[in-house]
Protein backbone atom coordinates (compact mmCIF):
# COMPACT_ATOMS: atom_id res chain seq x y z
CA UNK A 1 0.00 0.00 0.00
CA UNK A 2 2.82 2.35 0.93
CA UNK A 3 4.57 1.43 -2.29
CA UNK A 4 1.60 2.28 -4.48
CA UNK A 5 1.25 5.68 -2.80
CA UNK A 6 4.85 6.43 -3.71
CA UNK A 7 4.21 5.32 -7.30
CA UNK A 8 1.10 7.48 -7.49
CA UNK A 9 2.94 10.58 -6.26
CA UNK A 10 5.79 10.00 -8.74
CA UNK A 11 3.37 9.43 -11.61
CA UNK A 12 1.46 12.59 -10.83
CA UNK A 13 4.68 14.60 -10.58
CA UNK A 14 5.74 13.28 -13.99
CA UNK A 15 2.31 14.16 -15.37
CA UNK A 16 2.60 17.72 -14.03
CA UNK A 17 6.01 18.18 -15.63
CA UNK A 18 5.00 16.84 -19.03
CA UNK A 19 1.47 18.16 -19.41
CA UNK A 20 1.73 21.84 -18.58
CA UNK A 21 -2.05 21.69 -18.94
CA UNK A 22 -2.57 23.01 -15.42
CA UNK A 23 -1.69 26.53 -16.52
CA UNK A 24 -3.93 27.20 -19.49
CA UNK A 25 -4.12 31.00 -19.66
CA UNK A 26 -7.61 32.45 -19.56
CA UNK A 27 -9.24 29.11 -18.89
CA UNK A 28 -9.35 28.86 -15.14
CA UNK A 29 -12.43 26.69 -15.08
CA UNK A 30 -10.31 24.05 -16.84
CA UNK A 31 -7.94 23.97 -13.93
CA UNK A 32 -9.81 21.52 -11.74
CA UNK A 33 -11.04 19.40 -14.62
CA UNK A 34 -7.59 18.99 -16.19
CA UNK A 35 -5.99 18.16 -12.86
CA UNK A 36 -8.72 15.61 -12.14
CA UNK A 37 -8.25 13.99 -15.54
CA UNK A 38 -4.52 13.80 -14.95
CA UNK A 39 -5.03 12.22 -11.58
CA UNK A 40 -7.49 9.75 -13.10
CA UNK A 41 -4.98 8.69 -15.75
CA UNK A 42 -2.37 8.19 -13.02
CA UNK A 43 -4.78 5.94 -11.12
CA UNK A 44 -5.43 3.90 -14.28
CA UNK A 45 -1.70 3.44 -14.80
CA UNK A 46 -1.39 2.42 -11.15
CA UNK A 47 -4.08 -0.23 -11.64
CA UNK A 48 -2.23 -1.64 -14.64
CA UNK A 49 0.97 -1.58 -12.59
CA UNK A 50 -0.70 -3.54 -9.78
CA UNK A 51 -1.85 -6.13 -12.32
CA UNK A 52 1.74 -6.55 -13.50
CA UNK A 53 2.98 -6.81 -9.92
CA UNK A 54 0.67 -9.80 -9.35
CA UNK A 55 2.23 -11.55 -12.35
CA UNK A 56 5.76 -10.98 -11.24
CA UNK A 57 6.97 -9.14 -8.22
CA UNK A 58 10.48 -8.13 -7.35
CA UNK A 59 10.61 -7.11 -3.72
CA UNK A 60 13.28 -4.50 -4.25
CA UNK A 61 12.80 -1.34 -2.25
CA UNK A 62 12.50 1.83 -4.27
CA UNK A 63 15.17 3.29 -2.00
CA UNK A 64 17.71 1.25 -3.97
CA UNK A 65 17.39 3.96 -6.61
CA UNK A 66 19.28 6.24 -4.24
CA UNK A 67 22.35 4.10 -4.92
CA UNK A 68 22.44 5.64 -8.40
CA UNK A 69 23.77 8.84 -6.80
CA UNK A 70 27.17 7.15 -6.62
CA UNK A 71 26.67 4.46 -9.27
CA UNK A 72 25.45 6.85 -11.97
CA UNK A 73 28.54 9.09 -12.17
CA UNK A 74 30.84 6.03 -12.04
CA UNK A 75 28.91 4.41 -14.89
CA UNK A 76 28.96 7.64 -16.88
CA UNK A 77 32.73 7.89 -16.52
CA UNK A 78 33.09 4.29 -17.73
CA UNK A 79 30.86 5.14 -20.69
CA UNK A 80 33.01 8.16 -21.58
CA UNK A 81 36.23 6.13 -21.38
CA UNK A 82 35.01 3.23 -23.49
CA UNK A 83 33.38 5.60 -25.97
CA UNK A 84 36.76 7.20 -26.65
CA UNK A 85 38.31 3.74 -26.92
CA UNK A 86 35.75 2.42 -29.40
CA UNK A 87 35.71 5.68 -31.37
CA UNK A 88 39.47 5.31 -31.85
CA UNK A 89 39.01 1.69 -32.95
CA UNK A 90 36.29 2.60 -35.43
CA UNK A 91 38.25 5.48 -36.95
CA UNK A 92 41.65 3.78 -37.20
CA UNK A 93 42.35 2.59 -40.77
CA UNK A 94 43.32 -0.95 -39.79
CA UNK A 95 40.12 -1.54 -37.78
CA UNK A 96 41.80 -3.51 -34.96
CA UNK A 97 38.80 -5.45 -33.67
CA UNK A 98 38.80 -8.87 -32.13
CA UNK A 99 35.21 -9.93 -31.37
CA UNK A 100 34.89 -12.55 -28.68
CA UNK A 101 32.48 -14.00 -26.15
CA UNK A 102 33.18 -13.64 -22.45
CA UNK A 103 31.25 -15.31 -19.67
CA UNK A 104 31.29 -13.59 -16.29
CA UNK A 105 29.89 -14.61 -12.97
CA UNK A 106 27.98 -12.23 -10.72
CA UNK A 107 26.57 -12.76 -7.27
CA UNK A 108 23.35 -10.77 -7.43
CA UNK A 109 20.14 -11.59 -5.62
CA UNK A 110 17.49 -9.54 -7.34
CA UNK A 111 16.14 -9.12 -10.84
CA UNK A 112 16.70 -5.41 -10.32
CA UNK A 113 20.44 -6.02 -9.89
CA UNK A 114 20.63 -8.24 -12.97
CA UNK A 115 18.74 -5.72 -15.05
CA UNK A 116 21.03 -2.90 -13.98
CA UNK A 117 24.10 -5.05 -14.65
CA UNK A 118 23.00 -6.18 -18.11
CA UNK A 119 21.86 -2.71 -19.15
CA UNK A 120 25.04 -1.03 -17.88
CA UNK A 121 27.20 -3.51 -19.77
CA UNK A 122 25.18 -3.05 -22.94
CA UNK A 123 25.15 0.73 -22.62
CA UNK A 124 28.95 0.78 -22.43
CA UNK A 125 30.24 0.60 -26.02
CA UNK A 126 32.53 -2.34 -26.64
CA UNK A 127 30.57 -4.75 -24.48
CA UNK A 128 27.12 -6.21 -25.08
CA UNK A 129 25.09 -8.59 -22.93
CA UNK A 130 23.79 -11.47 -25.03
CA UNK A 131 22.21 -13.61 -22.36
CA UNK A 132 21.79 -13.78 -18.59
CA UNK A 133 20.98 -16.96 -16.73
CA UNK A 134 22.00 -19.10 -13.75
CA UNK A 135 24.22 -16.45 -12.22
CA UNK A 136 26.24 -15.94 -15.39
CA UNK A 137 26.18 -13.30 -18.06
CA UNK A 138 27.31 -14.00 -21.61
CA UNK A 139 28.97 -10.92 -23.04
CA UNK A 140 30.17 -10.03 -26.52
CA UNK A 141 33.29 -7.89 -26.45
CA UNK A 142 34.59 -5.98 -29.47
CA UNK A 143 38.30 -5.81 -28.63
CA UNK A 144 40.79 -7.49 -26.32
CA UNK A 145 40.91 -4.39 -24.12
CA UNK A 146 37.18 -4.28 -23.49
CA UNK A 147 37.17 -8.05 -22.89
CA UNK A 148 39.89 -7.62 -20.27
CA UNK A 149 37.95 -4.77 -18.66
CA UNK A 150 34.83 -6.87 -18.34
CA UNK A 151 36.76 -9.90 -17.07
CA UNK A 152 38.24 -7.84 -14.23
CA UNK A 153 34.79 -7.93 -12.62
CA UNK A 154 34.40 -4.31 -11.55
CA UNK A 155 30.92 -4.12 -13.05
CA UNK A 156 29.38 -6.95 -10.96
CA UNK A 157 31.11 -5.58 -7.84
CA UNK A 158 29.70 -2.11 -8.34
CA UNK A 159 26.21 -3.44 -9.03
CA UNK A 160 26.44 -5.69 -5.96
CA UNK A 161 27.29 -2.59 -3.92
CA UNK A 162 24.26 -0.85 -5.39
CA UNK A 163 22.17 -3.87 -4.50
CA UNK A 164 23.70 -4.33 -1.07
CA UNK A 165 25.04 -7.85 -1.76
CA UNK A 166 28.42 -9.23 -0.71
CA UNK A 167 31.20 -8.89 -3.24
CA UNK A 168 31.48 -11.44 -6.01
CA UNK A 169 35.12 -12.28 -5.34
CA UNK A 170 34.22 -14.15 -2.18
CA UNK A 171 32.42 -16.71 -4.35
CA UNK A 172 35.38 -17.75 -6.44
CA UNK A 173 37.26 -16.65 -9.55
CA UNK A 174 35.38 -15.02 -12.36
CA UNK A 175 35.16 -17.11 -15.49
CA UNK B 1 26.29 26.45 -33.21
CA UNK B 2 23.22 24.27 -32.87
CA UNK B 3 22.80 24.35 -36.65
CA UNK B 4 26.22 22.70 -36.99
CA UNK B 5 25.15 20.01 -34.54
CA UNK B 6 22.04 19.44 -36.66
CA UNK B 7 24.24 18.96 -39.74
CA UNK B 8 26.25 16.32 -37.86
CA UNK B 9 23.08 14.56 -36.77
CA UNK B 10 21.80 14.54 -40.37
CA UNK B 11 25.07 13.00 -41.60
CA UNK B 12 24.77 10.31 -38.94
CA UNK B 13 21.17 9.65 -39.99
CA UNK B 14 22.28 9.24 -43.61
CA UNK B 15 24.99 6.73 -42.61
CA UNK B 16 22.49 4.72 -40.55
CA UNK B 17 20.06 4.77 -43.47
CA UNK B 18 22.72 3.40 -45.82
CA UNK B 19 23.31 0.53 -43.40
CA UNK B 20 19.57 -0.10 -43.18
CA UNK B 21 19.41 -0.34 -46.97
CA UNK B 22 22.51 -2.53 -47.31
CA UNK B 23 21.34 -5.05 -44.72
CA UNK B 24 22.36 -7.88 -45.12
CA UNK B 25 20.31 -9.55 -42.37
CA UNK B 26 17.01 -8.42 -40.87
CA UNK B 27 18.85 -7.75 -37.60
CA UNK B 28 21.24 -5.30 -39.26
CA UNK B 29 18.27 -3.42 -40.65
CA UNK B 30 16.45 -3.40 -37.32
CA UNK B 31 19.61 -2.22 -35.53
CA UNK B 32 20.10 0.58 -38.03
CA UNK B 33 16.45 1.59 -37.70
CA UNK B 34 16.81 1.64 -33.91
CA UNK B 35 19.93 3.81 -34.05
CA UNK B 36 18.15 6.03 -36.58
CA UNK B 37 15.26 6.49 -34.13
CA UNK B 38 17.59 7.53 -31.29
CA UNK B 39 19.34 10.04 -33.51
CA UNK B 40 15.99 11.38 -34.68
CA UNK B 41 15.05 12.05 -31.05
CA UNK B 42 18.18 14.21 -30.78
CA UNK B 43 17.34 15.94 -34.07
CA UNK B 44 13.85 16.85 -32.87
CA UNK B 45 15.22 18.20 -29.58
CA UNK B 46 17.84 20.31 -31.38
CA UNK B 47 15.28 21.55 -33.89
CA UNK B 48 13.02 22.67 -31.06
CA UNK B 49 15.87 24.76 -29.65
CA UNK B 50 16.89 26.29 -32.99
CA UNK B 51 13.32 27.40 -33.67
CA UNK B 52 12.86 28.39 -30.02
CA UNK B 53 9.98 26.02 -29.54
CA UNK B 54 11.04 23.76 -26.64
CA UNK B 55 7.64 22.04 -26.75
CA UNK B 56 9.28 19.83 -29.38
CA UNK B 57 10.84 17.94 -26.46
CA UNK B 58 7.46 16.29 -25.89
CA UNK B 59 7.48 15.12 -29.50
CA UNK B 60 11.04 13.84 -29.03
CA UNK B 61 9.95 11.70 -26.08
CA UNK B 62 7.00 10.27 -27.99
CA UNK B 63 9.25 9.51 -30.95
CA UNK B 64 11.68 7.70 -28.64
CA UNK B 65 8.84 5.57 -27.28
CA UNK B 66 7.65 4.79 -30.81
CA UNK B 67 11.14 3.77 -31.87
CA UNK B 68 11.48 1.37 -28.96
CA UNK B 69 8.05 -0.19 -29.46
CA UNK B 70 8.71 -0.37 -33.20
CA UNK B 71 11.97 -2.28 -32.71
CA UNK B 72 10.30 -4.76 -30.38
CA UNK B 73 7.38 -5.13 -32.81
CA UNK B 74 9.74 -5.91 -35.70
CA UNK B 75 11.55 -8.53 -33.61
CA UNK B 76 8.29 -10.09 -32.48
CA UNK B 77 6.94 -10.16 -35.98
CA UNK B 78 10.13 -11.76 -37.21
CA UNK B 79 9.94 -14.44 -34.55
CA UNK B 80 6.24 -15.32 -34.50
CA UNK B 81 4.99 -14.13 -37.87
CA UNK B 82 2.25 -12.05 -36.26
CA UNK B 83 1.89 -9.55 -33.44
CA UNK B 84 -0.95 -11.14 -31.49
CA UNK B 85 -0.11 -14.66 -30.38
CA UNK B 86 2.92 -16.51 -29.06
CA UNK B 87 2.38 -19.45 -31.38
CA UNK B 88 4.62 -19.94 -34.33
CA UNK B 89 2.55 -20.66 -37.46
CA UNK B 90 2.63 -24.34 -38.40
CA UNK B 91 4.00 -23.62 -41.81
CA UNK C 1 28.55 34.61 -18.38
CA UNK C 2 25.46 33.82 -20.41
CA UNK C 3 27.28 33.92 -23.74
CA UNK C 4 30.10 31.72 -22.48
CA UNK C 5 27.57 29.17 -21.28
CA UNK C 6 25.78 29.33 -24.61
CA UNK C 7 29.07 28.68 -26.39
CA UNK C 8 29.91 25.73 -24.11
CA UNK C 9 26.46 24.23 -24.65
CA UNK C 10 26.74 24.59 -28.42
CA UNK C 11 30.19 22.98 -28.38
CA UNK C 12 28.86 20.04 -26.33
CA UNK C 13 26.02 19.57 -28.81
CA UNK C 14 28.47 19.61 -31.74
CA UNK C 15 30.75 17.11 -29.97
CA UNK C 16 27.74 14.88 -29.36
CA UNK C 17 26.74 15.02 -33.01
CA UNK C 18 30.33 14.11 -33.94
CA UNK C 19 30.04 11.01 -31.78
CA UNK C 20 26.80 10.18 -33.60
CA UNK C 21 28.67 10.50 -36.91
CA UNK C 22 31.42 8.21 -35.59
CA UNK C 23 28.74 5.71 -34.63
CA UNK C 24 27.34 5.94 -38.16
CA UNK C 25 30.79 5.39 -39.66
CA UNK C 26 31.18 2.36 -37.41
CA UNK C 27 27.82 1.03 -38.58
CA UNK C 28 29.17 1.06 -42.13
CA UNK C 29 32.73 -0.09 -41.50
CA UNK C 30 32.37 -2.91 -38.99
CA UNK C 31 32.07 -6.33 -40.61
CA UNK C 32 29.42 -8.27 -38.68
CA UNK C 33 26.16 -7.69 -36.83
CA UNK C 34 27.40 -7.97 -33.24
CA UNK C 35 30.27 -5.55 -33.89
CA UNK C 36 27.83 -3.07 -35.38
CA UNK C 37 25.79 -3.04 -32.18
CA UNK C 38 28.83 -1.54 -30.44
CA UNK C 39 28.98 1.25 -33.01
CA UNK C 40 25.26 1.90 -32.53
CA UNK C 41 25.74 2.22 -28.78
CA UNK C 42 28.34 4.99 -29.28
CA UNK C 43 25.64 7.25 -30.67
CA UNK C 44 23.13 6.06 -28.08
CA UNK C 45 25.33 6.67 -25.05
CA UNK C 46 27.82 9.52 -25.32
CA UNK C 47 26.26 11.10 -28.41
CA UNK C 48 22.85 11.45 -26.78
CA UNK C 49 24.35 12.51 -23.44
CA UNK C 50 26.50 15.27 -24.95
CA UNK C 51 23.72 16.66 -27.15
CA UNK C 52 21.10 16.69 -24.39
CA UNK C 53 23.45 17.97 -21.66
CA UNK C 54 24.65 20.59 -24.13
CA UNK C 55 21.05 21.70 -24.54
CA UNK C 56 20.70 21.85 -20.74
CA UNK C 57 23.71 24.18 -20.58
CA UNK C 58 22.34 26.21 -23.51
CA UNK C 59 18.99 26.58 -21.79
CA UNK C 60 20.57 27.69 -18.50
CA UNK C 61 22.48 30.32 -20.51
CA UNK C 62 19.14 31.79 -21.63
CA UNK C 63 18.22 31.92 -17.99
CA UNK C 64 21.33 33.96 -17.18
CA UNK C 65 20.64 36.41 -19.98
CA UNK C 66 16.99 37.14 -19.29
CA UNK C 67 17.07 36.77 -15.49
CA UNK C 68 13.69 35.08 -15.45
CA UNK C 69 13.19 31.38 -15.00
CA UNK C 70 9.94 31.17 -16.97
CA UNK C 71 9.58 27.80 -18.62
CA UNK C 72 13.28 26.97 -18.62
CA UNK C 73 13.21 24.92 -15.41
CA UNK C 74 10.61 22.59 -16.87
CA UNK C 75 12.61 22.43 -20.12
CA UNK C 76 15.72 21.36 -18.19
CA UNK C 77 13.76 18.73 -16.26
CA UNK C 78 12.33 17.42 -19.52
CA UNK C 79 15.77 17.23 -21.12
CA UNK C 80 17.16 15.27 -18.16
CA UNK C 81 14.16 12.93 -18.15
CA UNK C 82 14.60 12.40 -21.89
CA UNK C 83 18.26 11.49 -21.30
CA UNK C 84 17.30 9.06 -18.53
CA UNK C 85 14.67 7.56 -20.81
CA UNK C 86 17.17 7.01 -23.62
CA UNK C 87 19.64 5.48 -21.17
CA UNK C 88 17.06 2.95 -19.94
CA UNK C 89 15.45 2.13 -23.27
CA UNK C 90 18.31 2.00 -25.76
CA UNK C 91 20.33 -0.82 -24.09
CA UNK C 92 17.09 -2.76 -23.62
CA UNK C 93 16.34 -2.54 -27.34
CA UNK C 94 19.94 -3.41 -28.25
CA UNK C 95 19.88 -6.37 -25.90
CA UNK C 96 16.57 -7.59 -27.35
CA UNK C 97 18.05 -7.37 -30.85
CA UNK C 98 21.28 -9.11 -29.87
CA UNK C 99 19.52 -11.88 -28.00
CA UNK C 100 17.15 -12.51 -30.91
CA UNK C 101 20.08 -12.54 -33.33
CA UNK C 102 22.06 -14.90 -31.09
CA UNK C 103 19.09 -17.26 -30.75
CA UNK C 104 18.38 -16.89 -34.46
CA UNK C 105 21.81 -18.25 -35.26
CA UNK C 106 23.73 -15.17 -36.39
CA UNK C 107 27.34 -16.25 -35.96
CA UNK C 108 29.70 -14.41 -33.67
CA UNK C 109 32.55 -13.67 -36.04
CA UNK C 110 35.12 -16.35 -35.39
CA UNK C 111 38.39 -14.52 -35.75
CA UNK C 112 38.54 -15.55 -32.09
CA UNK C 113 42.06 -16.50 -31.14
CA UNK C 114 42.77 -19.63 -29.07
CA UNK C 115 42.09 -18.84 -25.44
CA UNK C 116 38.95 -16.79 -25.89
CA UNK C 117 36.99 -20.04 -26.21
CA UNK C 118 33.89 -18.65 -27.87
CA UNK C 119 32.35 -22.02 -28.60
CA UNK C 120 32.95 -23.22 -25.08
CA UNK C 121 31.25 -20.24 -23.51
CA UNK C 122 28.32 -20.65 -25.88
CA UNK C 123 27.83 -24.36 -25.19
CA UNK C 124 28.22 -23.87 -21.44
CA UNK C 125 25.36 -21.43 -21.27
CA UNK C 126 23.19 -23.47 -23.59
CA UNK C 127 23.91 -26.67 -21.68
CA UNK C 128 22.56 -25.36 -18.39
CA UNK C 129 18.89 -25.04 -19.15
CA UNK C 130 17.28 -23.75 -16.01
CA UNK C 131 15.07 -20.99 -14.83
CA UNK C 132 15.96 -18.01 -17.01
CA UNK C 133 16.93 -15.08 -14.89
Amino acid sequence: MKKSTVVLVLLFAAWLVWSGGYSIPGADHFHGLVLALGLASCVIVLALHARMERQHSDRTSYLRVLGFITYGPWLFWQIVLSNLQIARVVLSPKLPIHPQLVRIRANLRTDFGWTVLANSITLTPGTLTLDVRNGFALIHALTDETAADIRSGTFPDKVAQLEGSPRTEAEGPTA
Amino acid sequence: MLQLAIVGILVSMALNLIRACLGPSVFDRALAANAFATVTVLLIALDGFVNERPEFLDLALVYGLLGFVGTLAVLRFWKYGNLASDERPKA
Amino acid sequence: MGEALEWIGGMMAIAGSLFCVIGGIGMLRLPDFFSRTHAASIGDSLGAALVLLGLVVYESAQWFQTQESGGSVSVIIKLLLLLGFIYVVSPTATHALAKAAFAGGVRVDSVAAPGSASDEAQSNLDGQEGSPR
Side-chain angles (χ1 to χ4, degrees), chain A residues 60-99:
Chain A
T60 314
S61 161
Y62 286 142
L63 290 179
R64 286 275 171 249
V65 174
L66 290 179
F68 277 97
I69 293 170
T70 55
Y71 181 74
W74 177 82
L75 177 65
F76 191 71
W77 183 238
Q78 295 300 311
I79 287 172
V80 171
L81 288 182
S82 54
N83 256 294
L84 296 175
Q85 219 174 352
I86 298 302
R88 206 165 52 229
V89 167
V90 164
L91 291 179
S92 71
K94 277 189 299 187
L95 207 62
I97 62 168
H98 181 188

Side-chain angles (χ1 to χ4, degrees), chain C residues 38-98:
Chain C
H38 299 298
S41 74
I42 291 182
D44 283 0
S45 57
L46 197 56
L50 278 175
V51 169
L52 293 177
L53 291 179
L55 288 180
V56 168
V57 175
Y58 193 86
E59 182 68 24
S60 47
Q62 312 271 316
W63 189 45
F64 261 101
Q65 277 166 352
T66 57
Q67 295 295 330
E68 56 183 69
S69 64
S72 64
V73 174
S74 88
V75 167
I76 287 173
I77 292 175
K78 280 181 190 177
L79 280 168
L80 293 178
L81 282 175
L82 190 58
L83 183 61
F85 170 75
I86 288 180
Y87 265 40
V88 171
V89 154
S90 100
T92 311
T94 312
H95 169 72
L97 268 166

Side-chain angles (χ1 to χ4, degrees), chain A residues 34-172:
Chain A
V34 172
L35 280 176
L37 286 175
L39 196 61
S41 58
C42 290
V43 169
I44 291 173
V45 171
L46 192 67
L48 292 173
H49 177 72
R51 202 162 146 255
M52 282 165 73
E53 285 274 286
R54 273 207 299 281
Q55 283 288 325
H56 169 84
S57 72
D58 185 359
R59 301 264 169 246
T60 314
S61 161
Y62 286 142
L63 290 179
R64 286 275 171 249
V65 174
L66 290 179
F68 277 97
I69 293 170
T70 55
Y71 181 74
W74 177 82
L75 177 65
F76 191 71
W77 183 238
Q78 295 300 311
I79 287 172
V80 171
L81 288 182
S82 54
N83 256 294
L84 296 175
Q85 219 174 352
I86 298 302
R88 206 165 52 229
V89 167
V90 164
L91 291 179
S92 71
K94 277 189 299 187
L95 207 62
I97 62 168
H98 181 188
Q100 54 196 293
L101 291 174
V102 180
R103 202 169 53 119
I104 63 164
R105 183 194 180 86
N107 184 26
L108 301 175
R109 286 175 293 111
T110 56
D111 288 351
F112 168 75
W114 280 105
T115 311
V116 171
L117 177 68
N119 267 13
S120 310
I121 288 174
T122 307
L123 192 57
T124 316
T127 50
L128 167 70
T129 314
L130 288 178
D131 206 351
V132 169
R133 71 173 80 136
N134 297 332
F136 288 96
L138 183 62
I139 291 157
H140 181 271
L142 185 64
T143 64
D144 286 335
E145 282 174 62
T146 53
D149 282 352
I150 205 70
R151 272 205 193 89
S152 69
T154 34
F155 264 103
D157 283 348
K158 284 280 178 182
V159 178
Q161 263 176 34
L162 175 75
E163 198 192 32
S165 299
R167 291 166 74 87
T168 311
E169 280 155 351
E171 289 288 306

Side-chain angles (χ1 to χ4, degrees), chain C:
Chain C
M1 187 64 193
E3 282 188 9
L5 273 182
E6 205 165 273
W7 193 79
I8 292 171
M11 276 322 212
M12 282 171 75
I14 289 174
S17 71
L18 279 183
F19 271 99
C20 288
V21 172
I22 291 173
I25 294 172
M27 287 289 277
L28 286 184
R29 282 195 75 199
L30 289 169
D32 64 324
F33 168 74
F34 289 110
S35 305
R36 283 180 203 134
T37 57
H38 299 298
S41 74
I42 291 182
D44 283 0
S45 57
L46 197 56
L50 278 175
V51 169
L52 293 177
L53 291 179
L55 288 180
V56 168
V57 175
Y58 193 86
E59 182 68 24
S60 47
Q62 312 271 316
W63 189 45
F64 261 101
Q65 277 166 352
T66 57
Q67 295 295 330
E68 56 183 69
S69 64
S72 64
V73 174
S74 88
V75 167
I76 287 173
I77 292 175
K78 280 181 190 177
L79 280 168
L80 293 178
L81 282 175
L82 190 58
L83 183 61
F85 170 75
I86 288 180
Y87 265 40
V88 171
V89 154
S90 100
T92 311
T94 312
H95 169 72
L97 268 166
K99 191 170 180 176
F102 192 60
V106 176
R107 282 171 53 82
V108 175
D109 198 13
S110 51
V111 278
S116 71
S118 295
D119 294 333
E120 187 217 343
Q122 192 164 342
S123 59
N124 268 347
L125 263 185
D126 287 344
Q128 301 166 353
E129 283 294 348
S131 62
R133 290 220 48 150

